[in-house]
PDB file of all heavy atoms in Angstrom:
ATOM      1  N   PHE A  53      16.158  10.748   1.518  1.00 89.00           N
ATOM      2  CA  PHE A  53      15.050  11.510   2.097  1.00 89.00           C
ATOM      3  C   PHE A  53      14.782  12.734   1.212  1.00 89.00           C
ATOM      4  O   PHE A  53      13.626  13.029   0.903  1.00 89.00           O
ATOM      5  CB  PHE A  53      15.512  11.945   3.494  1.00 89.00           C
ATOM      6  CG  PHE A  53      14.462  12.670   4.290  1.00 89.00           C
ATOM      7  CD1 PHE A  53      13.354  12.014   4.781  1.00 89.00           C
ATOM      8  CD2 PHE A  53      14.608  14.058   4.544  1.00 89.00           C
ATOM      9  CE1 PHE A  53      12.408  12.698   5.501  1.00 89.00           C
ATOM     10  CE2 PHE A  53      13.673  14.722   5.274  1.00 89.00           C
ATOM     11  CZ  PHE A  53      12.569  14.042   5.757  1.00 89.00           C
ATOM     12  N   GLY A  54      15.822  13.444   0.823  1.00 88.00           N
ATOM     13  CA  GLY A  54      15.648  14.636   0.004  1.00 88.00           C
ATOM     14  C   GLY A  54      15.051  14.330  -1.356  1.00 88.00           C
ATOM     15  O   GLY A  54      14.097  15.026  -1.768  1.00 88.00           O
ATOM     16  N   ILE A  55      15.535  13.264  -1.980  1.00 89.00           N
ATOM     17  CA  ILE A  55      15.062  12.992  -3.355  1.00 89.00           C
ATOM     18  C   ILE A  55      13.650  12.436  -3.314  1.00 89.00           C
ATOM     19  O   ILE A  55      12.805  12.792  -4.156  1.00 89.00           O
ATOM     20  CB  ILE A  55      16.006  11.973  -4.019  1.00 89.00           C
ATOM     21  CG1 ILE A  55      17.397  12.595  -4.243  1.00 89.00           C
ATOM     22  CG2 ILE A  55      15.423  11.495  -5.358  1.00 89.00           C
ATOM     23  CD1 ILE A  55      18.422  11.656  -4.759  1.00 89.00           C
ATOM     24  N   PHE A  56      13.383  11.539  -2.369  1.00 89.00           N
ATOM     25  CA  PHE A  56      12.107  10.814  -2.444  1.00 89.00           C
ATOM     26  C   PHE A  56      11.023  11.312  -1.494  1.00 89.00           C
ATOM     27  O   PHE A  56       9.921  10.790  -1.521  1.00 89.00           O
ATOM     28  CB  PHE A  56      12.362   9.312  -2.220  1.00 89.00           C
ATOM     29  CG  PHE A  56      13.186   8.677  -3.288  1.00 89.00           C
ATOM     30  CD1 PHE A  56      14.439   8.218  -2.986  1.00 89.00           C
ATOM     31  CD2 PHE A  56      12.685   8.583  -4.585  1.00 89.00           C
ATOM     32  CE1 PHE A  56      15.218   7.622  -4.006  1.00 89.00           C
ATOM     33  CE2 PHE A  56      13.493   8.020  -5.595  1.00 89.00           C
ATOM     34  CZ  PHE A  56      14.734   7.499  -5.315  1.00 89.00           C
ATOM     35  N   VAL A  57      11.352  12.253  -0.604  1.00 87.00           N
ATOM     36  CA  VAL A  57      10.311  12.793   0.264  1.00 87.00           C
ATOM     37  C   VAL A  57      10.187  14.289   0.099  1.00 87.00           C
ATOM     38  O   VAL A  57       9.131  14.833  -0.234  1.00 87.00           O
ATOM     39  CB  VAL A  57      10.551  12.426   1.740  1.00 87.00           C
ATOM     40  CG1 VAL A  57       9.450  13.033   2.611  1.00 87.00           C
ATOM     41  CG2 VAL A  57      10.613  10.928   1.928  1.00 87.00           C
ATOM     42  N   LEU A  58      11.339  14.998   0.291  1.00 87.00           N
ATOM     43  CA  LEU A  58      11.251  16.480   0.282  1.00 87.00           C
ATOM     44  C   LEU A  58      11.000  17.006  -1.123  1.00 87.00           C
ATOM     45  O   LEU A  58      10.103  17.865  -1.313  1.00 87.00           O
ATOM     46  CB  LEU A  58      12.568  17.052   0.814  1.00 87.00           C
ATOM     47  CG  LEU A  58      12.745  17.031   2.303  1.00 87.00           C
ATOM     48  CD1 LEU A  58      13.977  17.796   2.720  1.00 87.00           C
ATOM     49  CD2 LEU A  58      11.536  17.632   3.011  1.00 87.00           C
ATOM     50  N   LEU A  59      11.760  16.520  -2.112  1.00 89.00           N
ATOM     51  CA  LEU A  59      11.593  17.016  -3.463  1.00 89.00           C
ATOM     52  C   LEU A  59      10.171  16.829  -3.955  1.00 89.00           C
ATOM     53  O   LEU A  59       9.534  17.776  -4.440  1.00 89.00           O
ATOM     54  CB  LEU A  59      12.602  16.318  -4.395  1.00 89.00           C
ATOM     55  CG  LEU A  59      12.633  16.784  -5.821  1.00 89.00           C
ATOM     56  CD1 LEU A  59      13.028  18.276  -5.922  1.00 89.00           C
ATOM     57  CD2 LEU A  59      13.584  15.947  -6.678  1.00 89.00           C
ATOM     58  N   PRO A  60       9.584  15.646  -3.842  1.00 88.00           N
ATOM     59  CA  PRO A  60       8.173  15.438  -4.254  1.00 88.00           C
ATOM     60  C   PRO A  60       7.239  16.376  -3.553  1.00 88.00           C
ATOM     61  O   PRO A  60       6.301  16.940  -4.115  1.00 88.00           O
ATOM     62  CB  PRO A  60       7.873  13.994  -3.915  1.00 88.00           C
ATOM     63  CG  PRO A  60       9.193  13.290  -3.877  1.00 88.00           C
ATOM     64  CD  PRO A  60      10.182  14.344  -3.410  1.00 88.00           C
ATOM     65  N   LEU A  61       7.526  16.575  -2.272  1.00 87.00           N
ATOM     66  CA  LEU A  61       6.659  17.485  -1.465  1.00 87.00           C
ATOM     67  C   LEU A  61       6.623  18.865  -2.036  1.00 87.00           C
ATOM     68  O   LEU A  61       5.579  19.506  -2.142  1.00 87.00           O
ATOM     69  CB  LEU A  61       7.202  17.495   0.006  1.00 87.00           C
ATOM     70  CG  LEU A  61       6.252  17.922   1.061  1.00 87.00           C
ATOM     71  CD1 LEU A  61       5.022  17.049   1.072  1.00 87.00           C
ATOM     72  CD2 LEU A  61       6.947  17.874   2.424  1.00 87.00           C
ATOM     73  N   VAL A  62       7.829  19.344  -2.455  1.00 87.00           N
ATOM     74  CA  VAL A  62       7.924  20.715  -2.994  1.00 87.00           C
ATOM     75  C   VAL A  62       7.325  20.772  -4.382  1.00 87.00           C
ATOM     76  O   VAL A  62       6.496  21.670  -4.694  1.00 87.00           O
ATOM     77  CB  VAL A  62       9.422  21.156  -3.019  1.00 87.00           C
ATOM     78  CG1 VAL A  62       9.536  22.489  -3.719  1.00 87.00           C
ATOM     79  CG2 VAL A  62       9.943  21.226  -1.600  1.00 87.00           C
ATOM     80  N   ILE A  63       7.691  19.812  -5.274  1.00 88.00           N
ATOM     81  CA  ILE A  63       7.183  19.965  -6.653  1.00 88.00           C
ATOM     82  C   ILE A  63       5.705  19.627  -6.761  1.00 88.00           C
ATOM     83  O   ILE A  63       5.120  19.872  -7.792  1.00 88.00           O
ATOM     84  CB  ILE A  63       8.017  19.134  -7.658  1.00 88.00           C
ATOM     85  CG1 ILE A  63       7.923  17.648  -7.428  1.00 88.00           C
ATOM     86  CG2 ILE A  63       9.466  19.610  -7.702  1.00 88.00           C
ATOM     87  CD1 ILE A  63       8.593  16.838  -8.510  1.00 88.00           C
ATOM     88  N   ASN A  64       5.148  19.041  -5.718  1.00 86.00           N
ATOM     89  CA  ASN A  64       3.728  18.764  -5.750  1.00 86.00           C
ATOM     90  C   ASN A  64       2.910  20.043  -6.013  1.00 86.00           C
ATOM     91  O   ASN A  64       1.953  20.059  -6.760  1.00 86.00           O
ATOM     92  CB  ASN A  64       3.264  18.161  -4.457  1.00 86.00           C
ATOM     93  CG  ASN A  64       2.036  17.261  -4.616  1.00 86.00           C
ATOM     94  OD1 ASN A  64       1.621  17.010  -5.740  1.00 86.00           O
ATOM     95  ND2 ASN A  64       1.470  16.815  -3.502  1.00 86.00           N
ATOM     96  N   PHE A  65       3.360  21.147  -5.413  1.00 86.00           N
ATOM     97  CA  PHE A  65       2.657  22.432  -5.596  1.00 86.00           C
ATOM     98  C   PHE A  65       2.785  22.874  -7.053  1.00 86.00           C
ATOM     99  O   PHE A  65       1.799  23.283  -7.637  1.00 86.00           O
ATOM    100  CB  PHE A  65       3.232  23.472  -4.670  1.00 86.00           C
ATOM    101  CG  PHE A  65       2.925  23.241  -3.211  1.00 86.00           C
ATOM    102  CD1 PHE A  65       3.829  22.598  -2.391  1.00 86.00           C
ATOM    103  CD2 PHE A  65       1.710  23.594  -2.683  1.00 86.00           C
ATOM    104  CE1 PHE A  65       3.534  22.328  -1.073  1.00 86.00           C
ATOM    105  CE2 PHE A  65       1.382  23.354  -1.369  1.00 86.00           C
ATOM    106  CZ  PHE A  65       2.290  22.705  -0.559  1.00 86.00           C
ATOM    107  N   ALA A  66       3.997  22.762  -7.598  1.00 85.00           N
ATOM    108  CA  ALA A  66       4.167  23.127  -9.017  1.00 85.00           C
ATOM    109  C   ALA A  66       3.291  22.217  -9.895  1.00 85.00           C
ATOM    110  O   ALA A  66       2.651  22.724 -10.826  1.00 85.00           O
ATOM    111  CB  ALA A  66       5.651  22.982  -9.400  1.00 85.00           C
ATOM    112  N   TYR A  67       3.299  20.959  -9.575  1.00 84.00           N
ATOM    113  CA  TYR A  67       2.514  19.997 -10.352  1.00 84.00           C
ATOM    114  C   TYR A  67       1.040  20.366 -10.405  1.00 84.00           C
ATOM    115  O   TYR A  67       0.385  20.307 -11.451  1.00 84.00           O
ATOM    116  CB  TYR A  67       2.636  18.630  -9.695  1.00 84.00           C
ATOM    117  CG  TYR A  67       3.172  17.566 -10.630  1.00 84.00           C
ATOM    118  CD1 TYR A  67       4.487  17.228 -10.630  1.00 84.00           C
ATOM    119  CD2 TYR A  67       2.314  17.002 -11.563  1.00 84.00           C
ATOM    120  CE1 TYR A  67       4.983  16.319 -11.508  1.00 84.00           C
ATOM    121  CE2 TYR A  67       2.811  16.053 -12.448  1.00 84.00           C
ATOM    122  CZ  TYR A  67       4.128  15.698 -12.422  1.00 84.00           C
ATOM    123  OH  TYR A  67       4.615  14.804 -13.245  1.00 84.00           O
TER     124      TYR A  67
END
Side-chain angles (χ1 to χ4, degrees):
Chain A
F53 184 72
I55 294 173
F56 295 113
V57 180
L58 284 187
L59 183 64
L61 200 58
V62 173
I63 65 173
N64 206 9
F65 290 97
Y67 237 98

